Amino acid sequence: MAARRTLLASLVLACLAQACYGNVLFSSLQRTLIVSASPQPGQVLKAGEDKITVTWRYNESFAAGTDSAYKTVNVKLCYAPVSQVDRAWRKTVDNLAKDKTCQHAIVSKPYSPANQSYEWLVQKDVPEATYFVRAYALNAEGVQVGFGQTTDKNKTTDLFAVQAISGRHASLDIASVCFSAFSVVSLVGFFLAEKRKAKPSSAPN
Amino acid sequence: MEVAGAESPGRAKFALPVDSEHKATVFRLFSLASPHMRTFHLSWVSFFACFVSTFAAPPLLPVIRDDLNLTATDIGNAGIASVSGAVFARVAMGTACDLFGPRLASASLILITAPAVYCSSIANSATSFLLVRFFTGFSLATFVSTQFWMSSMFSPPVVGSANGVAAGWGNLGGGATQLIMPLVFGIIRDAGAVKFTAWRIAFFVPALFQMLTAFMIMFFGQDMPDGHVRKLQKSGEKPKDEFSRVLYHGATNYRGWILALTYGYSFGVELTIDNIIAEYFYDRFDLKLHTAGMVAASFGLANAFSRPAGGWLSDAMSRRFGMRGRLWALWAVQTTEGVLCVVLGRVRSLGVSVAVMIAFSVFVQAACGLTFGVVPFVSRRSLGVISGMTGGGGNVGAVLTQLIFFKGSKYSKETGITLMGIMIICCTLPITLIYFPQWGGMFCGPSSAKGTTEEDYYLSEWSDKEREKGFHQASLKFADNSRKERGSRRGELATAPEEKSSDPEQEA
């Protein structure tokens, strides 16, 4: 009974936290992190094979104490505008709860103002698109309070591409073709069987 | 009066009570009695499988669009392609049923479109994706063979119910697939496959299911209560009809065209909603994809009872008011559907929106069921062509509404839905123009002029030469059995001058 009450309480708290979580506007965040990534501008990386090394650190030119609330850093792979055209499911919206620009998580690490880096294998489920890297600094409640990214304000420089896996395999291709052929052949077989059955029945019953 | 040269079939023993054409006069849902109920179960399951295949892609689009790098325009075009193939396939299917029988026609179509479903697994671009959806969509023409088959197996008093349940449970596939495909995908992915491979493997499930149903039809189905069309043609009981005459009598019957138009705004709207509703709820109310999929599924799953309810309502109206009752019910239900569609686009809160959508789904699907309560009576000789035209018209409606209201960014989805509702109300008005001389129309009673009986109506499809050869016998039997469409008040009083002494097999 007590366990159930605790569960209910934590559920309520989680919902409240969720409610607070959602109202941050991207335009209100300061670019307090300096982020860089290993790919050259225009480089094409292969999903599942190539690696990205991301480095980030606090930008000391900001007033002291700006980063006092920072607890964690979330590094994400984000879509460049050219890959968002005619794709509403990747839309950039100022309200971070509804923003869909950054859909692939790279790493989440505790915050430290010094230089940090991480090597990430481009996952196999990353789609073919043009990307940049962005890091969000989160406070203790998990709310975004700062960011940094590899590209400029308009997201036009230092972009790189990922070539996705197709998901196809030779075995799948062969299976598809074989079953398709079987489907057509069995139809022909049925027709022939029907013709053969029809012949003797034309005799008077 | 039997046709010379045809042996009268030995009084075959049927598990269900039958009329003079050996069509069942009752519809027992949970029986497997051969041939009537067995045919029912074979045809609805195969049609269900085709719906599952045709709409297997939409619930997996979030994965497919990333794998194939699709834009919203690509997705919209593929959606339109998926319903446009069946426009002509349905008309062709109607003719094929008239000529070869529904068993061969439906099994052939299912086996020919199964490769398209298998090849969905190897699609690798927007173009190939569009092509596989286009060819898979052809399988929706099995709707026509289902309706034709039910109309061949069940007598007029119950044909509305039989058609309604068969089509409704088939359409269920469009809803079931929104639950099945994500589930199968999840299982395969959890078993270790990468996302972009898992969806490809998942497509084998609807493909195999579809192929299996075709085999079952070939092994266990039969065209008519008395046997297969080919066998009956060879033994002379069912004369082989001439394609051009069948097509002519179907195409020149204006009622077929009106029903084709109005079906575009019940079934066509249902297909359009199947393609857009998940996205609508996802975008407008910020639901998770999984939740939006469940809402989308509930639209299609209402088919389990709504469409059959339409069929039952049609038959119930007919018992009391005859064909005029069927027409009035169709107009009223479909107009209400339009009103609810307008409301759906205007509502702003999630809870009310889901409630309106469910009410809307009930009326849409009931309107579909009511339409096919009328179709079997438009023509006897060209039943297949009329069914095909109406079915094809349904798909034309789907293509039109998606093109006008849901392609590109001209209208927001909610405005598109409201405008579609207005178009539904307008395009339902032509039902008022349908008139049967022997039964009447919505506003006019039956004609009391000479030569306006059921026999006159159905025999007008046969020329004198054809009548001399006795080709019209089936139509004559049908005319007799359809006399119940006069309704309870007229039916007991009027007796047509050439009415035969009642066939002992016919129910009172």
Side-chain angles (χ1 to χ4, degrees):
Chain A
M1 195 58 200
R4 234 203 270 167
R5 270 210 209 111
T6 333
L7 183 64
L8 192 63
S10 42
L11 205 65
V12 172
L13 272 176
C15 290
L16 288 174
Q18 183 83 348
C20 306
Y21 191 84
N23 283 329
V24 183
L25 296 179
F26 182 68
S27 48
S28 70
L29 298 179
Q30 287 182 301
R31 193 170 169 165
T32 53
L33 299 175
I34 299 175
V35 184
S36 64
S38 55
Q40 298 301 309
Q43 184 181 351
V44 178
L45 302 163
K46 290 212 177 80
E49 287 177 30
D50 292 331
K51 297 198 164 104
I52 299 178
T53 308
V54 188
T55 52
W56 65 94
R57 61 182 171 81
Y58 177 64
N59 188 347
E60 300 292 341
S61 58
F62 280 88
T66 315
D67 64 340
S68 53
Y70 294 7
K71 281 282 174 300
T72 354
V73 174
N74 274 354
V75 186
K76 294 185 170 191
L77 192 65
C78 309
Y79 292 107
V82 65
S83 291
Q84 291 174 304
V85 170
D86 205 11
R87 292 180 177 89
W89 57 92
R90 294 178 184 169
K91 209 159 119 184
T92 297
V93 172
D94 206 22
N95 182 346
L96 282 177
K98 300 196 173 184
D99 181 47
K100 303 219 167 77
T101 320
C102 304
Q103 293 185 16
H104 303 277
I106 294 178
V107 71
S108 184
K109 270 195 168 178
Y111 172 73
S112 146
N115 223 349
Q116 299 217 284
S117 76
Y118 183 78
E119 193 187 45
W120 183 67
L121 174 68
V122 180
Q123 298 292 290
K124 281 189 178 171
D125 63 356
V126 173
E128 183 149 327
T130 310
Y131 296 92
F132 62 95
V133 178
R134 179 183 288 172
Y136 286 110
L138 310 177
N139 65 11
E141 283 87 48
V143 177
Q144 296 93 336
V145 286
F147 82 100
Q149 61 190 28
T150 57
T151 183
D152 65 352
K153 193 156 160 271
N154 294 325
K155 298 180 275 185
T156 50
T157 60
D158 292 320
L159 304 171
F160 57 93
V162 168
Q163 187 189 56
I165 60 164
S166 73
R168 288 174 63 179
H169 289 281
S171 52
L172 255 180
D173 293 357
I174 294 173
S176 288
V177 171
C178 284
F179 275 103
S180 303
F182 176 64
S183 194
V184 177
V185 165
S186 59
L187 178 63
V188 173
F190 279 129
F191 265 111
L192 293 176
E194 290 283 303
K195 266 220 163 94
R196 238 186 283 147
K197 254 198 279 175
K199 278 210 193 98
S201 79
S202 56
N205 340 8
Chain B
M1 191 182 89
E2 291 295 333
V3 177
E7 298 172 62
S8 80
R11 186 77 68 82
K13 286 226 177 74
F14 293 110
L16 301 175
V18 294
D19 65 12
S20 63
E21 285 183 284
H22 293 170
K23 295 184 186 177
T25 53
V26 297
F27 179 62
R28 274 192 206 128
L29 200 51
F30 297 109
S31 138
L32 275 174
S34 178
H36 306 97
M37 292 314 299
R38 187 194 282 186
T39 301
F40 164 74
H41 290 293
L42 281 173
S43 63
W44 84 257
V45 170
S46 58
F47 185 41
F48 176 92
C50 293
F51 245 96
V52 168
S53 302
T54 304
F55 293 100
L60 294 182
L61 269 174
V63 180
I64 299 176
R65 69 191 178 195
D66 277 345
D67 189 357
L68 303 183
N69 205 11
L70 303 175
T71 62
T73 306
D74 293 331
I75 294 173
N77 286 339
I80 293 173
S82 69
V83 294
S84 55
V87 171
F88 294 107
R90 283 181 164 205
V91 181
M93 188 60 149
T95 320
C97 284
D98 280 324
L99 299 175
F100 306 115
R103 173 176 162 264
L104 271 177
S106 62
S108 309
L109 179 67
I110 294 173
L111 286 175
I112 288 176
T113 50
V117 191
Y118 285 118
C119 290
S120 305
S121 305
I122 55 183
N124 63 354
S125 65
T127 312
S128 51
F129 181 64
L130 184 135
L131 284 174
V132 293
R133 283 212 78 189
F134 176 65
F135 287 113
T136 305
F138 275 65
S139 66
L140 286 188
T142 42
F143 165 73
V144 175
S145 56
T146 301
Q147 299 293 288
F148 185 98
W149 221 347
M150 294 296 97
S151 305
S152 307
M153 286 281 177
F154 292 92
S155 190
V158 292
V159 76
S161 309
N163 274 340
V165 181
W169 287 11
N171 281 19
L172 210 59
T177 194
Q178 316 256 6
L179 292 173
I180 294 173
M181 292 306 283
L183 193 69
V184 172
F185 167 76
I187 292 173
I188 297 173
R189 194 201 41 200
D190 292 342
V194 173
K195 257 169 51 172
F196 290 171
T197 304
W199 75 264
R200 296 171 183 278
I201 302 176
F203 265 84
F204 274 81
V205 169
L208 283 167
F209 179 36
Q210 189 175 319
M211 205 170 72
L212 201 69
T213 59
F215 288 171
M216 288 201 310
I217 287 175
M218 287 308 288
F219 288 132
F220 301 119
Q222 70 184 60
D223 290 310
M224 309 180 76
D226 294 322
H228 294 316
V229 165
R230 278 262 175 92
K231 208 165 77 162
L232 294 171
Q233 282 172 356
K234 286 240 150 57
S235 72
E237 279 175 55
K238 183 180 187 328
K240 191 163 181 180
D241 210 345
E242 219 185 299
F243 170 56
S244 57
R245 302 308 305 160
V246 168
L247 192 60
Y248 173 78
H249 285 292
T252 52
N253 196 325
Y254 76 93
R255 302 168 193 85
W257 291 101
I258 294 181
L259 288 173
L261 169 68
T262 59
Y263 197 56
Y265 289 90
S266 56
F267 183 64
V269 163
E270 181 180 341
L271 290 183
T272 296
I273 297 280
D274 271 338
N275 266 334
I276 65 136
I277 197 73
E279 263 187 291
Y280 173 69
F281 276 95
Y282 182 77
D283 289 332
R284 191 156 191 217
F285 300 106
D286 288 318
L287 297 181
K288 294 213 173 58
L289 192 77
H290 168 68
T291 319
M294 288 205 295
V295 174
S298 66
F299 175 82
L301 290 176
N303 262 304
F305 57 86
S306 322
R307 186 160 178 155
W312 281 316
L313 179 64
S314 191
D315 287 340
M317 292 294 282
S318 158
R319 276 194 289 275
R320 180 94 173 86
F321 301 109
M323 176 55 69
R324 296 183 74 182
R326 291 190 194 263
L327 291 170
W328 267 102
L330 172 57
W331 176 84
V333 168
Q334 194 158 317
T335 304
T336 311
E337 166 208 328
V339 169
L340 284 169
C341 192
V342 172
V343 171
L344 180 64
R346 313 279 308 196
V347 160
R348 279 166 210 242
S349 87
L350 175 61
V352 181
S353 199
V354 174
V356 172
M357 188 208 69
I358 291 179
F360 171 62
S361 73
V362 170
F363 278 85
V364 163
Q365 291 150 13
C368 296
L370 282 155
T371 306
F372 275 85
V374 176
V375 164
F377 299 99
V378 171
S379 162
R380 179 61 184 81
R381 183 175 189 181
S382 310
L383 170 63
V385 172
I386 298 287
S387 295
M389 276 164 60
T390 308
N395 280 60
V396 170
V399 171
L400 272 178
T401 48
Q402 282 178 90
L403 261 178
I404 299 173
F405 302 119
F406 301 107
K407 187 176 152 123
S409 333
K410 186 155 176 226
Y411 302 111
S412 67
K413 282 220 167 57
E414 47 266 32
T415 312
I417 291 176
T418 301
L419 292 175
M420 185 166 73
I422 295 175
M423 196 172 186
I424 294 170
I425 297 173
C426 296
C427 291
T428 304
L429 288 171
I431 294 176
T432 52
L433 300 174
I434 296 182
Y435 179 76
F436 289 89
Q438 69 274 34
W439 298 317
M442 271 176 75
F443 296 122
C444 307
S447 169
S448 42
K450 206 167 172 288
T452 57
T453 62
E454 287 83 354
E455 276 82 5
D456 295 313
Y457 179 80
Y458 290 110
L459 293 186
S460 64
E461 295 181 317
W462 301 91
S463 68
D464 288 323
K465 257 205 298 189
E466 288 164 334
R467 283 189 228 183
E468 268 169 44
K469 294 193 206 156
F471 289 167
H472 64 296
Q473 289 305 311
S475 289
L476 207 55
K477 286 186 189 163
F478 182 75
D480 199 33
N481 291 324
S482 70
R483 212 176 303 284
K484 292 200 174 60
E485 294 307 308
R486 295 186 180 195
S488 62
R489 282 182 295 163
R490 268 190 75 222
E492 286 142 17
L493 305 169
T495 45
E498 55 262 59
E499 186 156 315
K500 313 194 293 285
S501 57
S502 50
D503 186 316
E505 278 183 311
Q506 189 180 354
E507 277 204 336

